[in-house]
């Protein structure tokens, strides 16, 4: 699911912000992986102390299954969310559009709001 998540996340980013988006996605994935291990490990440790290792493993497995199910539902929803910007409104990193076109797009966006 990870490549699909990254593709969905980065698809709607203008090229000018591709480096920023890549860094944010990578940092978010690393932070969420570390937090997941800490939180799931804490839940396992607490449950193992209170009820033993078998119920703790069962509890953590059910929690992981529920989280995977929720994330798959969210990924299905993300596929259907339209882009906030149409391709004609995305300005590439080299600024190949004329100043008049950029001004027209800015006016159009202000009118949409």
């Amino acid at each position: 699911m990870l490549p699909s998540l990254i593709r969905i996340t980065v698809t709607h980013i203008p090229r000018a912000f591709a480096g920023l988006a890549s860094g944010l996605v990578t940092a978010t994935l690393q932070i969420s992986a570390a937090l997941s291990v800490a939180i799931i490990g804490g839940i396992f440790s607490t449950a193992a102390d209170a009820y033993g290792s078998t119920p703790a493993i069962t509890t953590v497995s059910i929690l992981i299954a529920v989280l995977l199910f929720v994330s798959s539902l969210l990924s299905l929803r993300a596929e259907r969310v339209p882009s906030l910007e149409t391709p004609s409104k995305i300005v590439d990193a080299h600024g190949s559009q004329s100043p008049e076109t950029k001004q027209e797009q800015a006016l159009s966006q202000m009118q949409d709001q």
Side-chain angles (χ1 to χ4, degrees):
M1 290 178 56
L2 189 59
S4 297
L5 175 66
I6 293 172
R7 182 185 55 79
I8 291 168
T9 304
V10 180
T11 298
H12 305 296
I13 303 294
R15 286 188 210 174
F17 301 112
L20 176 64
S22 174
L24 285 173
V25 168
T26 303
T28 302
L29 291 174
Q30 289 177 353
I31 291 169
S32 63
L35 285 175
S36 299
V37 169
I39 292 170
I40 298 290
I43 291 170
F44 174 79
S45 177
T46 302
D49 289 342
Y51 305 109
S53 62
T54 303
I57 291 172
T58 304
T59 301
V60 169
S61 298
I62 291 170
L63 177 63
I64 291 171
V66 167
L67 291 174
L68 285 172
F69 179 73
V70 169
S71 67
S72 64
L73 289 178
L74 290 174
S75 70
L76 291 174
R77 165 101 170 84
E79 277 292 327
R80 288 184 246 140
V81 173
S83 173
L84 296 177
E85 298 178 355
T86 59
S88 64
K89 291 185 178 181
I90 296 174
V91 178
D92 66 8
H94 302 292
S96 62
Q97 293 179 335
S98 67
E100 293 82 20
T101 306
K102 290 179 184 180
Q103 186 177 16
E104 289 172 5
Q105 287 179 356
L107 289 173
S108 173
Q109 287 177 353
M110 288 187 341
Q111 289 173 350
D112 290 343
Q113 294 175 356

